[in-house]
Amino acid sequence: MIIEFLKMGGYGFYVWLSFLIVFTFCSLLFYKTRKTLKKYEKEFAKELDKLPAEHKKRIAKSSKVISSILASKNKLS
Amino acid sequence: MEFFSFGNIIVYIDKFIKFINSIFFVILIIGISFALIISPVDYLQGDSVRIMYVHVPSAWIGLSIFSLIAVSTILNFIFKIKNLFLLIKSLAPIGLLFTCLSIVTGSIWGKPTWGTWWAWDARLTSMLVLMLFYVLFIISLKYFKNNENLTKILSILSILGIINIPIIKYSVEWWSTLHQPASIKFLGTSSIHPSMLIPLFLMLLVLLLYCALIFLMKYKTEIIKIKKQNIKRL
């Protein structure tokens, strides 16, 4: 039954190849995008770490972007 | 306008990413089960019809994203809205991926159906032209640093590219092509059975959720890049 399912009435090669290509390239784009996002989040957090503690606290309070990045950095670490 | 500030956008992006992550795999499994197991075999094409469940949504997404990008580019050219520029930059790679996937899966479907991987047919050729427009778009975004020139180039590409969209849509009616005419009509009766429509729309939902996820991550990256440049001014 499994062999029959894999064969797909003789069209198995074409059907599985299509699905495999779609999922492979979608996964590649996903991992590349996520890696770039994490890289920029890390770099940004590093830049923030260079700032004096008081200044960092103040801008983290006033900027939602920075507090969001710091939150995801904390989750990572 | 405060609602569209980067600060507010990034909060919603995080919420949306979490939401998509929580439902994506469930919908993916349901979609795949319908597409590969539950949906019936076509009386003429046999099981090869299952390629439709990845080919058709990919083509729809490729076309829709280009239309969205083209309209956004023209609006950005007129009104100079920064968010629109980030939207264009984040959407273009997704559109290119799905246009390529639609061409490749179409070619794979063509082999058992038409007996050939490729034909210089009106629909296939116009899709290839769309892919070239995406490539030009992405190359321009990467290599033109001058904002003024970039906006002009992108607007020209959008205007030229948008002409190709109705050509793609109506190519199967205007010319005699190997590609079949549209089976799904949004205005009118579709010639496709609901047992095949349901898996098709489920797979469309899966791929749309995937697009949203990639778009949100890319948009967030662009916001961080801008904030990183301005960190000294904070």
Side-chain angles (χ1 to χ4, degrees):
Chain A
M1 194 182 151
I2 293 170
I3 299 288
E4 281 303 305
F5 171 65
L6 291 175
K7 275 186 180 170
M8 293 255 168
Y11 295 110
F13 171 73
Y14 303 106
V15 176
W16 292 115
L17 183 64
S18 301
F19 277 78
L20 192 72
I21 288 173
V22 170
F23 287 102
T24 307
F25 283 94
C26 284
S27 306
L28 281 177
L29 183 66
F30 174 78
Y31 283 109
K32 195 181 168 287
T33 310
R34 205 172 71 153
K35 204 177 151 189
T36 314
L37 174 62
K38 296 289 166 211
K39 185 188 133 199
Y40 276 99
E41 275 181 347
K42 258 187 194 169
E43 279 180 15
F44 191 71
K46 250 186 204 171
E47 295 273 326
L48 281 177
D49 279 341
K50 286 179 193 164
L51 297 173
E54 201 55 38
H55 189 188
K56 196 171 125 182
K57 226 184 213 177
R58 189 173 53 80
I59 57 171
K61 256 186 193 172
S62 63
S63 165
K64 286 178 185 170
V65 176
I66 291 168
S67 56
S68 153
I69 294 163
L70 287 174
S72 50
K73 184 206 162 196
N74 288 340
K75 262 187 219 163
L76 280 176
S77 57
Chain B
M1 271 296 150
E2 181 60 27
F3 180 80
F4 294 106
S5 68
F6 287 152
N8 279 333
I9 288 174
I10 213 156
V11 171
Y12 286 108
I13 284 177
D14 288 339
K15 280 183 184 169
F16 273 124
I17 289 177
K18 264 187 203 163
F19 172 71
I20 294 170
N21 278 334
S22 65
I23 59 165
F24 184 76
F25 282 101
V26 179
I27 297 178
L28 175 69
I29 289 166
I30 297 171
I32 292 280
S33 309
F34 266 91
L36 291 173
I37 306 164
I38 302 168
S39 80
V41 170
D42 185 71
Y43 79 104
L44 201 61
Q45 299 186 46
D47 275 294
S48 74
V49 77
R50 296 186 197 281
I51 300 172
M52 170 180 77
Y53 303 124
V54 282
H55 169 72
V56 174
S58 301
W60 284 348
I61 292 171
L63 286 170
S64 315
I65 289 182
F66 193 86
S67 309
L68 194 62
I69 286 177
V71 172
S72 306
T73 308
I74 295 162
L75 287 177
N76 183 45
F77 181 70
I78 301 166
F79 301 111
K80 307 267 181 282
I81 305 167
K82 208 173 193 173
N83 280 340
L84 282 182
F85 183 69
L86 298 189
L87 185 122
I88 297 161
K89 231 178 154 181
S90 312
L91 279 176
I94 308 170
L96 175 64
L97 172 76
F98 281 98
T99 305
C100 293
L101 288 177
S102 131
I103 293 171
V104 172
T105 52
S107 168
I108 296 170
W109 197 6
K111 184 65 183 162
T113 315
W114 306 328
T116 180
W117 297 100
W118 184 262
W120 291 102
D121 158 280
R123 171 62 70 87
L124 277 71
T125 311
S126 51
M127 276 306 278
L128 197 68
V129 171
L130 178 70
M131 191 192 83
L132 291 176
F133 271 108
Y134 269 121
V135 171
L136 288 174
F137 228 93
I138 290 169
I139 290 174
S140 310
L141 282 168
K142 211 172 170 90
Y143 293 104
F144 285 92
K145 298 293 173 203
N146 182 332
N147 245 0
E148 196 69 26
N149 285 343
L150 179 63
T151 318
K152 277 181 197 163
I153 290 164
L154 294 183
S155 302
I156 294 166
L157 284 175
S158 299
I159 292 165
L160 292 175
I162 204 91
I163 298 168
N164 189 39
I165 301 293
I167 296 177
I168 296 172
K169 171 87 179 81
Y170 295 106
S171 56
V172 285
E173 291 167 26
W174 292 342
W175 293 285
S176 160
T177 62
L178 270 177
H179 198 285
Q180 67 173 77
S183 312
I184 299 149
K185 288 172 185 134
F186 292 102
L187 304 166
T189 325
S190 298
S191 58
I192 183 167
H193 194 264
S195 58
M196 287 177 170
L197 259 185
I198 293 166
L200 187 65
F201 282 112
L202 275 170
M203 285 306 288
L204 176 67
L205 180 65
V206 168
L207 296 180
L208 281 176
L209 283 173
Y210 167 83
C211 288
L213 189 63
I214 300 290
F215 166 71
L216 293 171
M217 287 199 292
K218 283 195 175 286
Y219 200 91
K220 191 177 175 185
T221 309
E222 293 301 325
I223 293 176
I224 293 172
K225 276 183 192 172
I226 293 172
K227 287 282 167 185
K228 198 172 160 245
Q229 282 168 357
N230 299 338
I231 201 163
K232 297 272 179 334
R233 276 192 266 152
L234 290 168

